Structure formats: structure tokens, C-alpha cells
Amino acid sequence: MLTKTVIVGSAIGLHARPAAIIAEAVAEAGVPVTLSMEGGEPVDAGSALMIMTLGAGNGAQVTVASEDEKALDTVAELVQKDLDA
């Protein structure tokens, strides 16, 4: 499993809008991707609702994991962006 730890870039954190954008990217990739915070259980990044349960605010460290390097990089990039802009 490939992993990458990134910092949440969205000003309000991973709330509805960023979560939906990330979940859509995972659906398009067609491979499993998970997100987790230190000490927490991984959640399915293909589900906006599950992403929101992380409670990841701006500046939080989130670990992205996937067997697919392209999907991993795409989701990691999205988590780091301010998707509210």
C-alpha cells in the first residue's frame, strides 16, 4: 500500500464541498483510496460523508493511501488545495 501524508489546504477543512470533490475524483479513478488522521481509522475517500467524519480542519495532517500511485497523487493534491476558492 502506497501512502502520502499531506496538510489539509481548504480554509474550512474537509467539509461538504472539498469532500464531494475528492470523492468524485476517487470514483473517476475507479480504485480504492483511503484517508486517515494519526491514531484514527482509515475512511473510504470515495464517500464524501466518510471524509467529513474525519473532522480534518485546515492544517490537519491526513494520510492518503492507495495501491494506485496516480490515484494517490491525485487525491493527495486535492487534499492540499484550497477547494473553497
Side-chain angles (χ1 to χ4, degrees), residues 1-7 34-36 61-66 69 72-77 79-80:
M1 180 77 64
L2 303 169
T3 64
K4 185 180 282 192
T5 301
V6 295
I7 304 296
T34 63
L35 299 178
S36 61
Q61 286 191 348
V62 173
T63 299
V64 183
S66 181
E69 188 172 4
L72 175 84
D73 290 342
T74 298
V75 172
E77 184 178 313
V79 171
Q80 294 178 94

